Structures are given as C-alpha cells and as structure tokens.
Amino acid sequence: LQLSYPEALLRVDSIDVGSSVITLWTEEPHTKDGVIYLRGGTFRKGFIGEHAVARIKVVAIESGEARVLVKNTQLVAGD
C-alpha cells in the first residue's frame, strides 16, 4: 500500500501499527519523497469486519488543499 501526500503541505509525524491487522511487515512502514509505504502481510487465515492497517498522524505545515492519494495498492487473499 502506498499513500502519496504533498510534502509542501503535510508532515507525517508518526505511523502507528500497534493495532494493525498486518502481523508480518516485509519492511518497516516509512515515508520517502511524499509517499508513505506500508508493506506486509498476516499469518491469519482471514478476517471479517473492519480492521486497521496503520494509524498515521499528519500535521499541516501550510494552508491549502492537501490530497492524500492511494496508489500502487495490491491486496492478496491469504488462502
């Protein structure tokens, strides 16, 4: 999962994965060049209902319209 954001308008303060449905991270969640990277999976056979992948704390550093876009997303069934 990749989320792009305008670095001129937003600053990512933290990425909390403490209550994430993801149990195995292939790399630590991080930001680089205006993109938040969340890559991982789970050993669970499945899940039903709502689950969080991450809680991301973002702070506005300038006024304006800041669009956060989901891009390059791939969800694969663990069956």
Side-chain angles (χ1 to χ4, degrees):
L1 175 65
Q2 295 178 15
L3 305 169
S4 65
Y5 64 95
E7 288 183 289
L9 298 176
L10 300 175
R11 180 184 73 234
V12 176
D13 269 2
S14 65
I15 303 173
D16 179 8
V17 295
S19 61
S20 178
V21 68
I22 305 300
T23 56
L24 176 65
W25 293 96
T26 55
E27 65 183 29
E28 286 296 315
H30 66 280
T31 62
K32 181 179 178 185
D33 300 326
V35 179
I36 300 167
Y37 295 91
L38 302 166
R39 295 180 178 148
T42 182
F43 288 113
R44 298 178 190 169
K45 297 228 180 225
F47 44 85
I48 297 173
E50 294 183 23
H51 296 278
V53 172
R55 296 191 189 282
I56 302 167
K57 183 178 178 183
V58 178
V59 175
I61 53 177
E62 288 286 334
S63 62
E65 183 177 320
R67 293 181 184 211
V68 177
L69 304 172
V70 177
K71 61 185 230 174
N72 296 331
T73 301
Q74 183 179 28
L75 303 174
V76 181
D79 54 356

